[in-house]
Amino acid sequence: MRGAPRSRRPPPGSRRPEPPSGPDGPAADAAGPVPAAPGVPELRVTGLTVRFAGLTALDDVSFTVRPGSVHAVIGPNGAGKSTCFNVLSGVYRATSGSVRLGGHELTGLPPHRIAGLGVARTFQNLALPPYATVSDTLMLGRHRLTRAGFLAAGLRLPSAAREEARHGARVREIAAFTGLEPYLDHPAGALPYGLQKLVELGRALCTEPRLLLLDEPVAGMTSAARRRTAALVAGIRDSLGISIVLVEHDMGVVMRLADEVTVLDFGRRIAGGAPEAVQRDPEVVRAYLGEAAPEDGGAPAAGRGHR
Amino acid sequence: MTAASLRVEGVTAGYGPVRALVDVSVDVPDGAVVAVLGGNGAGKSTLLRAVSRTLAFHGGALRGGSVSFGGRRLDGLAAAELVAAGVVQVPEGRQVFARMTVADNLRAGALGARGGARGRARGGERDRAWGGARARAHRRAAALARVHGLFPVLRQRAQQRAGLLSGGEQQMLALGRALMAEPRLLLLDEPTLGLAPMAAARIADTIREINAQGTSVLLVEQNAAVALKLASSAYVLETGRVALAGPAAELAVSDEVRRRYLGVVDETAAQDAESVSTSLPRLGRWPA
Amino acid sequence: SGKANDDDAAEGDGGGSELRVGDGVTATTVPLGVLTDMTGVYATLGKSVTQAQQLYFDRFNADGGVCGRTVELTVRDHGYDPQKAVSAYTELEPEVLGFPQFIGSPYVAAVKDRIDGQDKGLVIPQAWSATLLGSENIRQIGATYDVEMINAVDFLVREGAVGKGDRIGHVYFEGDYGENALAGSEYAAEAAGLTVVGKKIKATDQDMTAQVTSLAKAEVSAVLMSAGPRQSASLAGVAAASGLDVPIVGSNPTFAPQLLETAAGPALLKNFHVSTSTLPIGSPEPGPAELAAAYGKEYPGELLDTGVIAGWSAADLFGEALQRACKAKNLTRGGVTEALLSIDSMDTGFGITHDFSDPAEPSTRESLILRPDAEAKGGMVVAEEAFTATAAADYAVGGAEG
Amino acid sequence: MSEPLTAPRRAPRRYALPAAAGAGLLVALALPFYLDRFWLQAGLFAMAAAIGAIGLNLLTGATGQLSLGHAFFLAVGAYGYCALAGGDEEGLTGLGLPTAVAAAGAVLLAGLAGGLLSPIAGRLSGAYLGIATLALIFIGQHLLFNADDLTGGYNGRAVPPLELFGYRFDDSEDVLLNVPFGAAEKLWYVGLALLVAGALFARGVLRGRPGRAMNALRDHRIAAGVMGVPVARLRAGVFVLSSMYAGLAGVLLALVFQRTVPEYFGFVLSLEYLAMIVVGGLGSVAGAVLGAAFVSLLPQVFMRYSESLPLVSATGDGGVAPGEASRYLYGAAVVAVVLFLPGGLARLAPRRRTPEKKEPSDAEDAIQTQTSAHRA
Amino acid sequence: MTTFVELLIGGLSTGSVYALIALGFVVIFKATEVVNFAHASLLLAGGYVAARLSGHIGFWPALAVGIAGAATVGALVEFLVIRRYRGGEHSVLAIATIGVDIVLLTEFTRLIGTDVLTLGDPWGDAVLTFGSVTVPQTRIAALAAAALLITAFLLAFRYTSWGVAMRAAAENREAAALMGVRLGRVSLSAWAVAGALAAVAALFLTVFPTPGLERSTSFAAFKAFPAAIIGGLDSTAGALAGGLIVGVTEAMATGYQAELSFLGRGLGDVAPYLVMLLVLLARPAGLFGTRELTRV
Ligand SMILES: Nc1ncnc2c1ncn2[C@@H]1O[C@H](COP(=O)(O)OP(=O)(O)OP(=O)(O)O)[C@@H](O)[C@H]1O
Ligand SMILES: Nc1ncnc2c1ncn2[C@@H]1O[C@H](COP(=O)(O)OP(=O)(O)OP(=O)(O)O)[C@@H](O)[C@H]1O
Ligand SMILES: [Mg+2]
Ligand SMILES: [Mg+2]
């Protein structure tokens, strides 16, 4: 069963892993594979180069993410995957190259403008507030969708209260979807690692993104939790129809979720295409997967979750 | 009792009102690799912190039970003294010294090495200290060479600030840094987290190698497949209690462990799962 | 309610023969407030002044007090903090007849409107800036800083240290002390055909090397100082060491006896003078000598500095006003103020006669010139007896610029 | 998951607090009928301090931007009011605006001054920002001493009394219920109103959308940006808001002092405000208010009762002077709170009924923002 | 010689004293990430002990005892306050040092009282003359001491285990403890060293051309803030550079007061802060400081 379901948009759930414990209403099976939601643009990265003092972290990388697809970026440690995310989300400036989301050029925009265009991300090393509750943390995701400023909030104008209620309801909806509902009142920083990763994901979802960047969403999770999270990601794609770029070392998850894979090594794109093809690509095997030496589980992460 | 076995007996620990470990006992015989498995929040990291005396840094405390290493009680020592006793932990989340260079991180790792800089070089022991200094320098050079051999990238990046390394590179640095202290017992908290398959395999090899050179290892790992292969025995924690324990090989074939930690879905269970959950989770779109 | 008016009946309604009292004055005591700084930047001054005043009123009471009452001092140490100073004033004001001491001219200025408006209590500030002149209730004793400097310039001219066309340096503190002094020196310089080279510094500046360098560069023939003792010591020391061998004349607060033991001691002895309106405490005259003896007895080991004289003189003035008010059967605030206005020639025993009849005028325009002397008590002796420079006599104190 | 985590953590004192706040407010309203001018003035200083401290807590506590320059904005408020409301007397320049307009103008002016600093406030953080703002103190002092025709120089400038709807808040005595009402009594109600309004506003800000963004900025700048928070703009915005609070505090202080003196607005004042928010509790409105009451009342109490304190001698003949004793205690209190009461006094307040409860400024006691969970 | 050169030399000579004070800040900041507002009181502690003793036991022994005394005070502050802090926020701890400063400053000003304490140092009021510029010998000594100490600390931080331990502890206490760094000792030693440095700085603040130790001696610490920031709070070489820049700026602003009169009088105090702001606008971490590093 290695290589899991490859057919594009299989009948919902057929070979998908078990869903999270969240609500799964009957409505679910009515909807078939959802195409890209309207308004979800294409992401086109061309010739992206990022240099740090004496180090080229990304070297002329190009790839395209089709609207509504899951695009995996994989590669060895230090290949430049997170750097790529950092450029996409405006944290780093590209040395050269372009990133276009639909009609917008992203390079050069500050992070909050990019977020305003509907790009959300999670962080490889958790970036959660230490004391704020999960519910506040998720509400932060609503920042770009809400308006209340100092005056409205300070004077408690009815408009601010209405906005708060409306978005609070959506936050609870998303919390239920991600399985975070029981923890809404807990400080996010004191949750176990796995749940913190989910909070990250939930917070990104709360921005109602059109493009979701996930940096190692299942790292540090038990395999059961990995399956649930993978299902969650698939669920996001299928129910929202947004594009997802996924960085992940767990090849099982990558193979299961990705529609297309881009492989980086030392900042260069060394392969790309459909997951199976990439997985067999000798260059990728050499640089990343390793000659699977079954004796000692050479590539242990690969194949986790389904063999 | 052998010289360097770790015994954790009936340990209870928690953070403020939160109880994270309840009456946990774990044994790491000299020279063994022992794995600890468990879900997120099961208390694995807390167990390691209880051993390495770093609970206080997280607002936690040991509430009962005892920890001893080589017959010596550890639960009265400061974290730093443990290093001198030969117990070294690679903490969860790497925690490299972000603003120091990679080389300085490795130097920091050697600070508390047994018979290291502190401790001996005092008072009337000047002669020995001088002699010791040379020996120490040698050993440190050897340790550094070994770490560089294991992780060549750390040599290439010696002058880069550690905070700028990629996640995986930092993980390598964290492990390398711990090895600089030449531990007798290494506590590893998810050492393969965030590592690419090949790098994870290399870590596994490294652990095996370190172990072969006489260092015992207490390994906390999500990657149960790797952990159970490396370990001679294993414990499974669930909500702060030991749920299962036994030789690794036995655990590896137990259904419970296979399903929950190895991600092996046996056929009937898979069928069950799929029939129960015929759908993906769904979330409505946000209007406007 | 708690503080409802229940018609304070303390005040007699003043038939000619009956003593009118008010504002905290009881049958046995006359309460006075002391707003001082014993923990802040003027702690040195505050301590000496307060102790001298306590000494004065102890004697005053021993000599029978006033109108059969003894004077009681309530001391509040505001540490030179505006909030505490204003609070302390607010606290004591309803309970005391007046304030023989109020350190911190900005704080005096802060409550000036209240003093002149409703409170009307007599306040003697320990500051000699001309900006405080003009109020009936706020009275300084001694020449103002500008007058001191005019006399100082006159002294330099007469000594032949400076002549027409020369330049004269003036190192002064930011704030009304320094600026008031500068107004004086500029006025005097113009009269004498000199140019003033001003150097403004702050109380926190301790090292006068830069100032000396640039004064030397400007080739000044003498230097005026309106700063603190540390600055004088530094200036004199650096000037001497770097060969700027010119006389230095400082305002009253620029000297402290402790300085003579520092590295700058010899330089101070050689070139330093102070222009002031009291005799030094080391003077053999009866006034200072008695005070020095009494103070030394009461506070053995304490330093005899200018604060002792300033405190004593202010207390003396207040005491005199109280006696006169008593005689006029009016021991109220108004009575004390009135009494003070009637004092037009008071010899406090410190070399100068004061006239308090005009609130817009300093009590004197005379200055003495003192010079350091390591042998003398308090470290200073008289170099020139009291005089008024012609320029000082013509000078409109406080100036047009206020 | 270990079980206690799922236990409910809502404290069961939701109803008690508004009631307590109401009671506190009533007491506060009655106080001018009982307290003498000294205490009213002390209370007014505390109220002004509380307003300023709320502003600083928005900036430093909730947004994590250390500021040592708060005193500067207080000065802008105080002098701004004088210059806008004052006439051309004493050789000073003044616009002679109606005092209420001048007060609002002064607050805006302080905000503007904060805005001018945004190129620096938006870029720096931590100790660097703290010391950069220290520059404001020195620049402020320099301006106050040099711009004499606006500030009156060293001896400061008289403060025109506030006049609202023809009613003057000055020392002319009105008698109310047989109690003479001077400036302190009248201003008391102004101060109270400003404090309550300021506190409620700040609480709204902290609990609402801006507050979340501010906390996010404090906790993780990059993550906040990526979530759509305009980092530089928000930093600058909070700086402006905080400066406006400081400006308002400055106006109130000026009214209470009746004369503004430049020396007041120095480094020590800035430090006192920092001490207030730390002692009270970082990031919360209640913390700022409690801390302000503590820091500004302590020395007053000490000075007032210095004679009756053991080991303290009034005239400094050898023993510890009251001023010194109060400074020892103040310093030690700051240290003690940091060490033993992380979270500040605000942590104690809801649980225990301290005598301080009677203080008028505690009308806002009920305010427990979510951010007070910040563990300092 | 031109005025400019004179002012420059004068400024460098005062700047060297500022550099010494700034170095103390930097050491504590490097070791604990805490901005030490109590540094002013450490200055007084060192100066007080040395000055009180110098009359009895002579200058050099008194200086040694003064340095030891200030080191002890620093160590005590660490032991009684810094070490007890359980939270993780450096700015809160910085505020605790404000409390410490208030207590210590009150105590030492009370002890010093109205005295002006002198040290009886070997330099006296001797000066060196370069052309028309005079520089007190004490200032030459200060410059030498600053350069020497700063070089020593630069090397110590970079090359000794102590330096590595200190940097590690400052950055991540838990990880440092796991590397065997004894946090208590490291931070204790940093504070002791800072105290000792403060005593050295106090020495040069007390000798000619200032008359002696007095309660206001500690105000000099205000010049060290911009000095430390201009150089970069975590850079020992920066402390020297910053101190000298502040000294020179101050001297220039004072010397050219007449030419700069449109900026108001008494510019000397503000000018260093203005320079600091300019430096910060261009380099947010000072001239030699390490930039804040966050990567995600
Ligand atoms: N701000 C920076 N300054 C200098 N070098 C950097 C910076 N950010 C990243 N790098 C370097 O760029 C390279 C790529 O890093 P990146 O984080 O993108 O790797 P990655 O592919 O995400 O690796 P991993 O799988 O380990 O997370 C690394 O070698 C890293 O050290
Ligand atoms: N600093 C903390 N404060 C409060 N509670 C904590 C803290 N750290 C951990 N906990 C709680 O203690 C329990 C055990 O946590 P621990 O980190 O030991 O789990 P873990 O098994 O290591 O999980 P993971 O696999 O996610 O790392 C969890 O419920 C967690 O929420
Ligand atoms: Mg990465
Ligand atoms: Mg863990």
Side-chain angles (χ1 to χ4, degrees), chain B residues 58 95 97-99 104 107 112 163 165, chain E residues 33 158-159 167 171-172 174 178-179 295:
Chain B
H58 300 265
Q95 308 214 21
F97 301 116
R99 274 180 301 167
D104 280 347
R107 284 177 65 198
L165 294 175
Chain E
E33 300 248 314
R158 201 164 285 170
Y159 297 111
R167 284 184 288 154
E171 218 177 279
N172 186 330
E174 181 183 7
L178 286 173
M179 298 300 107
R295 63 149 300 175

PDB file of all heavy atoms in Angstrom, chain B residues 58 95 97-99 104 107 112 163 165, chain E residues 33 158-159 167 171-172 174 178-179 295:
ATOM      1  N   HIS B  58      10.519  25.180  34.076  1.00  0.00           N
ATOM      2  CA  HIS B  58       9.209  25.217  33.427  1.00  0.00           C
ATOM      3  C   HIS B  58       8.108  25.438  34.436  1.00  0.00           C
ATOM      4  O   HIS B  58       6.945  25.182  34.154  1.00  0.00           O
ATOM      5  CB  HIS B  58       8.976  23.913  32.667  1.00  0.00           C
ATOM      6  CG  HIS B  58      10.006  23.671  31.613  1.00  0.00           C
ATOM      7  ND1 HIS B  58       9.814  24.028  30.302  1.00  0.00           N
ATOM      8  CD2 HIS B  58      11.249  23.151  31.684  1.00  0.00           C
ATOM      9  CE1 HIS B  58      10.904  23.728  29.607  1.00  0.00           C
ATOM     10  NE2 HIS B  58      11.788  23.199  30.414  1.00  0.00           N
ATOM     11  N   GLN B  95      16.783  24.152  21.621  1.00  0.00           N
ATOM     12  CA  GLN B  95      17.366  25.113  22.543  1.00  0.00           C
ATOM     13  C   GLN B  95      18.860  25.342  22.332  1.00  0.00           C
ATOM     14  O   GLN B  95      19.649  25.322  23.268  1.00  0.00           O
ATOM     15  CB  GLN B  95      17.138  24.672  23.982  1.00  0.00           C
ATOM     16  CG  GLN B  95      15.695  24.369  24.230  1.00  0.00           C
ATOM     17  CD  GLN B  95      15.267  24.726  25.630  1.00  0.00           C
ATOM     18  OE1 GLN B  95      15.901  25.524  26.285  1.00  0.00           O
ATOM     19  NE2 GLN B  95      14.191  24.153  26.079  1.00  0.00           N
ATOM     20  N   PHE B  97      22.005  27.804  21.516  1.00  0.00           N
ATOM     21  CA  PHE B  97      22.249  29.197  21.895  1.00  0.00           C
ATOM     22  C   PHE B  97      22.250  30.030  20.627  1.00  0.00           C
ATOM     23  O   PHE B  97      23.248  30.110  19.913  1.00  0.00           O
ATOM     24  CB  PHE B  97      23.574  29.331  22.638  1.00  0.00           C
ATOM     25  CG  PHE B  97      23.609  28.502  23.890  1.00  0.00           C
ATOM     26  CD1 PHE B  97      24.508  27.463  24.025  1.00  0.00           C
ATOM     27  CD2 PHE B  97      22.723  28.757  24.926  1.00  0.00           C
ATOM     28  CE1 PHE B  97      24.539  26.701  25.178  1.00  0.00           C
ATOM     29  CE2 PHE B  97      22.737  27.988  26.075  1.00  0.00           C
ATOM     30  CZ  PHE B  97      23.642  26.958  26.207  1.00  0.00           C
ATOM     31  N   ALA B  98      21.112  30.654  20.379  1.00  0.00           N
ATOM     32  CA  ALA B  98      20.876  31.197  19.046  1.00  0.00           C
ATOM     33  C   ALA B  98      21.886  32.257  18.625  1.00  0.00           C
ATOM     34  O   ALA B  98      22.246  32.336  17.457  1.00  0.00           O
ATOM     35  CB  ALA B  98      19.467  31.773  18.978  1.00  0.00           C
ATOM     36  N   ARG B  99      22.358  33.044  19.593  1.00  0.00           N
ATOM     37  CA  ARG B  99      23.226  34.130  19.163  1.00  0.00           C
ATOM     38  C   ARG B  99      24.698  33.772  19.185  1.00  0.00           C
ATOM     39  O   ARG B  99      25.543  34.572  18.810  1.00  0.00           O
ATOM     40  CB  ARG B  99      22.961  35.372  20.008  1.00  0.00           C
ATOM     41  CG  ARG B  99      21.810  36.174  19.418  1.00  0.00           C
ATOM     42  CD  ARG B  99      21.557  37.373  20.236  1.00  0.00           C
ATOM     43  NE  ARG B  99      21.247  36.933  21.587  1.00  0.00           N
ATOM     44  CZ  ARG B  99      21.209  37.742  22.635  1.00  0.00           C
ATOM     45  NH1 ARG B  99      21.491  38.993  22.491  1.00  0.00           N
ATOM     46  NH2 ARG B  99      20.895  37.277  23.810  1.00  0.00           N
ATOM     47  N   ASP B 104      30.937  28.025  19.148  1.00  0.00           N
ATOM     48  CA  ASP B 104      30.804  28.354  20.561  1.00  0.00           C
ATOM     49  C   ASP B 104      29.746  27.496  21.242  1.00  0.00           C
ATOM     50  O   ASP B 104      29.863  27.172  22.417  1.00  0.00           O
ATOM     51  CB  ASP B 104      30.470  29.840  20.741  1.00  0.00           C
ATOM     52  CG  ASP B 104      31.703  30.711  20.622  1.00  0.00           C
ATOM     53  OD1 ASP B 104      32.816  30.136  20.646  1.00  0.00           O
ATOM     54  OD2 ASP B 104      31.565  31.934  20.482  1.00  0.00           O
ATOM     55  N   ARG B 107      31.529  24.542  22.148  1.00  0.00           N
ATOM     56  CA  ARG B 107      32.388  24.797  23.308  1.00  0.00           C
ATOM     57  C   ARG B 107      31.567  24.806  24.583  1.00  0.00           C
ATOM     58  O   ARG B 107      31.983  24.301  25.622  1.00  0.00           O
ATOM     59  CB  ARG B 107      33.105  26.130  23.162  1.00  0.00           C
ATOM     60  CG  ARG B 107      34.261  26.067  22.185  1.00  0.00           C
ATOM     61  CD  ARG B 107      34.883  27.426  22.044  1.00  0.00           C
ATOM     62  NE  ARG B 107      35.493  27.888  23.277  1.00  0.00           N
ATOM     63  CZ  ARG B 107      35.798  29.171  23.522  1.00  0.00           C
ATOM     64  NH1 ARG B 107      35.508  30.085  22.630  1.00  0.00           N
ATOM     65  NH2 ARG B 107      36.367  29.504  24.640  1.00  0.00           N
ATOM     66  N   GLY B 112      30.735  21.510  30.883  1.00  0.00           N
ATOM     67  CA  GLY B 112      30.478  20.735  32.089  1.00  0.00           C
ATOM     68  C   GLY B 112      31.000  19.313  31.988  1.00  0.00           C
ATOM     69  O   GLY B 112      30.640  18.475  32.805  1.00  0.00           O
ATOM     70  N   GLY B 163      21.307  30.368  15.713  1.00  0.00           N
ATOM     71  CA  GLY B 163      19.894  30.679  15.534  1.00  0.00           C
ATOM     72  C   GLY B 163      19.484  30.730  14.077  1.00  0.00           C
ATOM     73  O   GLY B 163      18.305  30.663  13.762  1.00  0.00           O
ATOM     74  N   LEU B 165      20.542  28.600  11.780  1.00  0.00           N
ATOM     75  CA  LEU B 165      20.556  27.285  11.138  1.00  0.00           C
ATOM     76  C   LEU B 165      19.128  26.839  10.860  1.00  0.00           C
ATOM     77  O   LEU B 165      18.187  27.284  11.500  1.00  0.00           O
ATOM     78  CB  LEU B 165      21.209  26.262  12.066  1.00  0.00           C
ATOM     79  CG  LEU B 165      22.687  26.442  12.361  1.00  0.00           C
ATOM     80  CD1 LEU B 165      23.127  25.411  13.385  1.00  0.00           C
ATOM     81  CD2 LEU B 165      23.505  26.308  11.090  1.00  0.00           C
TER      82      LEU B 165
ATOM     83  N   GLU E  33      21.538  39.530  30.444  1.00  0.00           N
ATOM     84  CA  GLU E  33      20.567  40.230  29.611  1.00  0.00           C
ATOM     85  C   GLU E  33      19.775  41.255  30.407  1.00  0.00           C
ATOM     86  O   GLU E  33      18.692  41.664  29.996  1.00  0.00           O
ATOM     87  CB  GLU E  33      19.587  39.250  28.955  1.00  0.00           C
ATOM     88  CG  GLU E  33      20.287  38.248  28.082  1.00  0.00           C
ATOM     89  CD  GLU E  33      19.986  38.418  26.603  1.00  0.00           C
ATOM     90  OE1 GLU E  33      18.823  38.574  26.248  1.00  0.00           O
ATOM     91  OE2 GLU E  33      20.942  38.407  25.813  1.00  0.00           O
ATOM     92  N   ARG E 158      35.479  36.142  24.722  1.00  0.00           N
ATOM     93  CA  ARG E 158      35.572  35.373  23.503  1.00  0.00           C
ATOM     94  C   ARG E 158      36.255  34.030  23.721  1.00  0.00           C
ATOM     95  O   ARG E 158      35.859  33.036  23.162  1.00  0.00           O
ATOM     96  CB  ARG E 158      36.318  36.186  22.446  1.00  0.00           C
ATOM     97  CG  ARG E 158      36.035  35.701  21.061  1.00  0.00           C
ATOM     98  CD  ARG E 158      36.433  36.691  20.018  1.00  0.00           C
ATOM     99  NE  ARG E 158      35.521  37.825  19.910  1.00  0.00           N
ATOM    100  CZ  ARG E 158      35.807  38.913  19.185  1.00  0.00           C
ATOM    101  NH1 ARG E 158      36.956  39.010  18.561  1.00  0.00           N
ATOM    102  NH2 ARG E 158      34.950  39.889  19.099  1.00  0.00           N
ATOM    103  N   TYR E 159      37.293  34.031  24.574  1.00  0.00           N
ATOM    104  CA  TYR E 159      38.138  32.839  24.567  1.00  0.00           C
ATOM    105  C   TYR E 159      38.099  31.977  25.820  1.00  0.00           C
ATOM    106  O   TYR E 159      38.576  30.858  25.793  1.00  0.00           O
ATOM    107  CB  TYR E 159      39.581  33.235  24.264  1.00  0.00           C
ATOM    108  CG  TYR E 159      39.712  33.850  22.891  1.00  0.00           C
ATOM    109  CD1 TYR E 159      40.009  35.186  22.726  1.00  0.00           C
ATOM    110  CD2 TYR E 159      39.482  33.076  21.746  1.00  0.00           C
ATOM    111  CE1 TYR E 159      40.092  35.760  21.461  1.00  0.00           C
ATOM    112  CE2 TYR E 159      39.556  33.634  20.488  1.00  0.00           C
ATOM    113  CZ  TYR E 159      39.866  34.966  20.344  1.00  0.00           C
ATOM    114  OH  TYR E 159      39.934  35.511  19.102  1.00  0.00           O
ATOM    115  N   ARG E 167      27.889  33.776  28.266  1.00  0.00           N
ATOM    116  CA  ARG E 167      27.004  34.056  27.140  1.00  0.00           C
ATOM    117  C   ARG E 167      25.899  33.018  27.054  1.00  0.00           C
ATOM    118  O   ARG E 167      24.744  33.330  26.779  1.00  0.00           O
ATOM    119  CB  ARG E 167      27.809  34.087  25.841  1.00  0.00           C
ATOM    120  CG  ARG E 167      28.611  35.373  25.698  1.00  0.00           C
ATOM    121  CD  ARG E 167      29.302  35.424  24.375  1.00  0.00           C
ATOM    122  NE  ARG E 167      30.412  34.476  24.328  1.00  0.00           N
ATOM    123  CZ  ARG E 167      30.875  33.940  23.208  1.00  0.00           C
ATOM    124  NH1 ARG E 167      30.332  34.236  22.058  1.00  0.00           N
ATOM    125  NH2 ARG E 167      31.879  33.103  23.238  1.00  0.00           N
ATOM    126  N   GLU E 171      21.740  33.582  27.420  1.00  0.00           N
ATOM    127  CA  GLU E 171      20.812  33.348  26.341  1.00  0.00           C
ATOM    128  C   GLU E 171      19.721  32.352  26.675  1.00  0.00           C
ATOM    129  O   GLU E 171      18.562  32.541  26.335  1.00  0.00           O
ATOM    130  CB  GLU E 171      21.584  32.855  25.128  1.00  0.00           C
ATOM    131  CG  GLU E 171      20.998  33.429  23.897  1.00  0.00           C
ATOM    132  CD  GLU E 171      21.784  33.023  22.704  1.00  0.00           C
ATOM    133  OE1 GLU E 171      22.822  33.651  22.455  1.00  0.00           O
ATOM    134  OE2 GLU E 171      21.360  32.074  22.057  1.00  0.00           O
ATOM    135  N   ASN E 172      20.093  31.307  27.325  1.00  0.00           N
ATOM    136  CA  ASN E 172      19.110  30.264  27.601  1.00  0.00           C
ATOM    137  C   ASN E 172      19.528  29.557  28.874  1.00  0.00           C
ATOM    138  O   ASN E 172      20.423  28.707  28.882  1.00  0.00           O
ATOM    139  CB  ASN E 172      19.072  29.290  26.416  1.00  0.00           C
ATOM    140  CG  ASN E 172      17.979  28.273  26.568  1.00  0.00           C
ATOM    141  OD1 ASN E 172      17.612  27.893  27.689  1.00  0.00           O
ATOM    142  ND2 ASN E 172      17.450  27.819  25.456  1.00  0.00           N
ATOM    143  N   GLU E 174      18.059  27.389  30.805  1.00  0.00           N
ATOM    144  CA  GLU E 174      17.868  25.954  30.929  1.00  0.00           C
ATOM    145  C   GLU E 174      18.934  25.190  30.143  1.00  0.00           C
ATOM    146  O   GLU E 174      19.585  24.285  30.668  1.00  0.00           O
ATOM    147  CB  GLU E 174      16.482  25.545  30.426  1.00  0.00           C
ATOM    148  CG  GLU E 174      16.263  24.047  30.576  1.00  0.00           C
ATOM    149  CD  GLU E 174      14.929  23.576  30.013  1.00  0.00           C
ATOM    150  OE1 GLU E 174      14.233  24.383  29.382  1.00  0.00           O
ATOM    151  OE2 GLU E 174      14.599  22.401  30.209  1.00  0.00           O
ATOM    152  N   LEU E 178      21.873  22.656  31.398  1.00  0.00           N
ATOM    153  CA  LEU E 178      22.029  21.306  30.863  1.00  0.00           C
ATOM    154  C   LEU E 178      23.427  21.068  30.310  1.00  0.00           C
ATOM    155  O   LEU E 178      23.835  19.939  30.099  1.00  0.00           O
ATOM    156  CB  LEU E 178      20.994  21.058  29.764  1.00  0.00           C
ATOM    157  CG  LEU E 178      19.574  20.842  30.280  1.00  0.00           C
ATOM    158  CD1 LEU E 178      18.595  20.770  29.131  1.00  0.00           C
ATOM    159  CD2 LEU E 178      19.513  19.576  31.116  1.00  0.00           C
ATOM    160  N   MET E 179      24.139  22.148  30.049  1.00  0.00           N
ATOM    161  CA  MET E 179      25.516  21.995  29.597  1.00  0.00           C
ATOM    162  C   MET E 179      26.465  22.014  30.792  1.00  0.00           C
ATOM    163  O   MET E 179      27.676  22.069  30.624  1.00  0.00           O
ATOM    164  CB  MET E 179      25.899  23.151  28.661  1.00  0.00           C
ATOM    165  CG  MET E 179      25.096  23.220  27.404  1.00  0.00           C
ATOM    166  SD  MET E 179      25.273  21.742  26.416  1.00  0.00           S
ATOM    167  CE  MET E 179      23.700  20.978  26.666  1.00  0.00           C
ATOM    168  N   ARG E 295      14.520  33.814  13.828  1.00  0.00           N
ATOM    169  CA  ARG E 295      14.107  33.215  12.578  1.00  0.00           C
ATOM    170  C   ARG E 295      13.023  32.222  12.911  1.00  0.00           C
ATOM    171  O   ARG E 295      12.918  31.753  14.037  1.00  0.00           O
ATOM    172  CB  ARG E 295      15.267  32.575  11.822  1.00  0.00           C
ATOM    173  CG  ARG E 295      15.958  31.431  12.486  1.00  0.00           C
ATOM    174  CD  ARG E 295      16.488  30.481  11.444  1.00  0.00           C
ATOM    175  NE  ARG E 295      15.403  29.965  10.619  1.00  0.00           N
ATOM    176  CZ  ARG E 295      15.590  29.198   9.569  1.00  0.00           C
ATOM    177  NH1 ARG E 295      16.787  28.885   9.195  1.00  0.00           N
ATOM    178  NH2 ARG E 295      14.560  28.736   8.895  1.00  0.00           N
TER     179      ARG E 295
END
